[in-house]
Amino acid sequence: MVSHLRMATLVGILALGIVARMVKTADGAAVPPSSMAKIRRMNSRGPYVGVIVPNSFEMSPLLQSPSFRPDPNFPYLDILGRRFRFGKVKNKKVVIVMTGLSMLNAGITTELLLALFDVKGVVHYGIAGNANPQLQIGDVTIPQYWAHTGLWNWQRFGDGPDDELAFESSGDDTREFGYLEFDDYNNATRNGEGVGNFLNRVWHQREEVFPIDGVPEVRQLAFWVPVDESYYKLSTKITDLKLEACVNSSTCLPRAPRVVMVERGVSANVFVDNRAYREFLSSKFNATPIDMESAGVALVCRQLGTPFIAFRSLSDLAGGGSSLSNEATTFASLAAQNAVDAVVKFISLLAS
C-alpha cells in the first residue's frame, strides 16, 4: 500500500499534469487552464473528505442542512459535467459531488474526484432497496463489504453447473461465487419437477482492478470489497443516532429507524422491485442494501488506495410491502434525510 504522502503526490501529478493534457470534453477541448488554476487553489486548502451522492434529491438535504457551510469564496467548480461543491460539514472540509444513476456514472465521478482533488477519504451515501425483512424502511445500513453482482457469465442452455465455464481454465471466469438458476423460478412444473428454462443460469464474476501500487496492465480480481477498517470502526459510534420516523403528521413508520451495522451490500445497474430476486440476494450473499452505485465507488477507491465507507438508508423492501406501488415513492425523502443525518454525524467524528 502506498503511503498517504505518495498518494497525495500522485493525485497532485494527475490533477496538475496528466488530467490537464489528456481529459477531454465532448468537443475535444481539454480542461481549461483557468479550471486547473482553480483546482490548484482548492487543493492548497485541502485535504478534503470526498462526499459522493447519487442523485439531487439525496444531495439536497445535505446542502440544506445547517451542518453544511459552503465555501463563501469558492462554493463550487464545474468540470466535465460534474459540479464539485466545497465547504465544511461540522467544521470538516468537504468536497461534495453528485454522480447520477448507475455503476458507470459512480465510477467515472469517483475517478474524477480522486484524480483532480486532494481527498483523504470518501464517504458515499444514498437510499437503497432492502433485502433483509428483519430491517425496516428508514434504517440506515453500514455494510462492511460491497460487491458488484451484475457481472455475469451467462451459461448456454444444456450446460450444467458442473460444466466448465467459457474462459474458466484461463482464470477469467470463476464458479466461486455461485449462480442464479432461472429454472428455480419457473411457474410451470412437470411431475412436480421444474422444467428446463432456455435462460439456464448466470454465474457471478469478479471485477478486474488495477491498483496504483500494482504493475500496469497486470490485473487483480475483486468481488467483495471491504470498506476502510478504521472508518467502519468509527461508524459504530453513531448507532445510537436518533432518526426521523415520519414523512408527515399522518405517515409514520411502525418504529423509530436505527443505524445498523451489516455485513454486506450489493450493487448492479438494476432497480430491484422483485421479491424472488430480493430473496435470492439475501440468501446467496447475505446482502442487506441493494443499490446501483456503491460498489462502483468502492472499486475505484480500492484501485486508488483511498479510504472508503458507504451509508445506505432503506427506502423500500425490494419487491415487498404494498402490492400497488413501491414504498420508495412514499419514503424516499425520509430515507434520504436519515442517510444525511448519519453521514453528518460520522463526518463530525473524523479527525481534522
Side-chain angles (χ1 to χ4, degrees), residues 248-296:
N248 51 48
S249 60
S250 61
T251 306
C252 293
L253 296 165
R255 66 159 171 80
R258 302 189 294 252
V259 177
V260 186
M261 314 299 292
V262 299
E263 185 178 8
R264 295 173 176 176
V266 296
S267 306
N269 287 337
V270 180
F271 183 89
V272 178
D273 193 14
N274 181 279
R275 177 175 178 172
Y277 189 60
R278 174 245 296 173
E279 291 176 345
F280 167 79
L281 292 174
S282 177
S283 62
K284 173 67 74 175
F285 298 117
N286 191 28
T288 298
I290 310 168
D291 69 30
M292 301 189 197
E293 296 85 20
S294 295

Side-chain angles (χ1 to χ4, degrees), residues 6 88 90 111 250 331:
R6 288 177 61 198
K88 290 185 178 180
K90 292 290 188 178
E111 188 87 28
S250 61
F331 292 103

Side-chain angles (χ1 to χ4, degrees), residues 72-331:
N73 300 312
F74 206 102
Y76 64 86
L77 178 59
D78 293 340
I79 300 176
L80 299 175
R82 267 67 180 182
R83 174 161 290 186
F84 298 90
R85 293 173 165 87
F86 299 90
K88 290 185 178 180
V89 169
K90 292 290 188 178
N91 213 36
K92 303 299 195 301
K93 288 178 282 189
V94 297
V95 52
I96 304 168
V97 62
M98 187 184 81
T99 67
L101 195 69
S102 84
M103 293 276 291
L104 175 63
N105 277 321
I108 290 172
T109 306
T110 305
E111 188 87 28
L112 276 173
L113 173 71
L114 299 182
L116 292 170
F117 299 105
D118 184 4
V119 172
K120 61 183 178 181
V122 166
V123 176
H124 175 57
Y125 79 88
I127 68 171
N130 177 24
N132 180 359
Q134 301 305 310
L135 297 183
Q136 175 190 265
I137 289 171
D139 287 346
V140 176
T141 62
I142 311 175
Q144 189 173 10
Y145 299 93
W146 284 94
H148 175 205
T149 52
L151 184 58
W152 294 346
N153 181 308
W154 206 314
Q155 206 168 16
R156 69 172 59 190
F157 180 70
D159 283 356
D162 295 327
D163 290 320
E164 185 176 277
L165 300 177
F167 304 110
E168 185 179 359
S169 61
S170 63
D172 286 344
D173 288 326
T174 179
R175 289 178 289 179
E176 177 182 354
F177 302 103
Y179 58 82
L180 169 62
E181 176 77 70
F182 289 96
D183 191 22
D184 291 343
Y185 300 94
N186 287 347
N187 285 321
T189 61
R190 184 180 298 117
N191 300 323
E193 299 291 331
V195 297
N197 189 307
F198 289 126
L199 292 175
N200 202 10
R201 67 187 60 83
V202 293
W203 294 81
H204 295 273
Q205 300 301 317
R206 302 163 295 188
E207 286 277 3
E208 293 183 344
V209 293
F210 298 88
I212 60 169
D213 57 345
V215 179
E217 298 184 353
V218 175
R219 68 179 181 173
Q220 296 179 17
L221 296 170
F223 191 77
W224 291 113
V225 180
V227 303
D228 181 75
E229 184 177 351
S230 63
Y231 280 9
Y232 192 72
K233 183 178 180 180
L234 183 64
S235 68
T236 63
K237 295 183 178 181
I238 72 168
T239 54
D240 60 350
L241 183 65
K242 184 178 180 180
L243 299 171
E244 291 292 330
C246 296
V247 177
N248 51 48
S249 60
S250 61
T251 306
C252 293
L253 296 165
R255 66 159 171 80
R258 302 189 294 252
V259 177
V260 186
M261 314 299 292
V262 299
E263 185 178 8
R264 295 173 176 176
V266 296
S267 306
N269 287 337
V270 180
F271 183 89
V272 178
D273 193 14
N274 181 279
R275 177 175 178 172
Y277 189 60
R278 174 245 296 173
E279 291 176 345
F280 167 79
L281 292 174
S282 177
S283 62
K284 173 67 74 175
F285 298 117
N286 191 28
T288 298
I290 310 168
D291 69 30
M292 301 189 197
E293 296 85 20
S294 295
V297 179
L299 285 160
V300 173
C301 287
R302 169 174 171 160
Q303 294 191 93
L304 296 183
T306 303
F308 157 83
I309 193 167
F311 299 79
R312 283 287 181 158
S313 183
L314 306 176
S315 62
D316 62 290
L317 180 62
S322 171
S323 61
L324 299 178
S325 64
N326 185 281
E327 302 100 320
T329 58
T330 300
F331 292 103

Side-chain angles (χ1 to χ4, degrees), residues 20-74:
R21 293 195 303 271
M22 298 185 67
V23 176
K24 302 291 185 181
T25 59
D27 61 1
V31 175
S34 59
S35 292
M36 295 310 303
K38 293 172 183 175
I39 291 169
R40 288 191 293 269
R41 175 183 172 186
M42 299 315 294
N43 282 340
S44 70
R45 301 180 183 184
Y48 299 92
V49 176
V51 181
I52 299 177
V53 194
N55 292 303
S56 59
F57 78 89
E58 295 160 311
M59 182 170 62
S60 292
L62 178 58
L63 300 183
Q64 296 166 6
S65 168
S67 299
F68 172 67
R69 291 185 291 116
D71 188 305
N73 300 312
F74 206 102

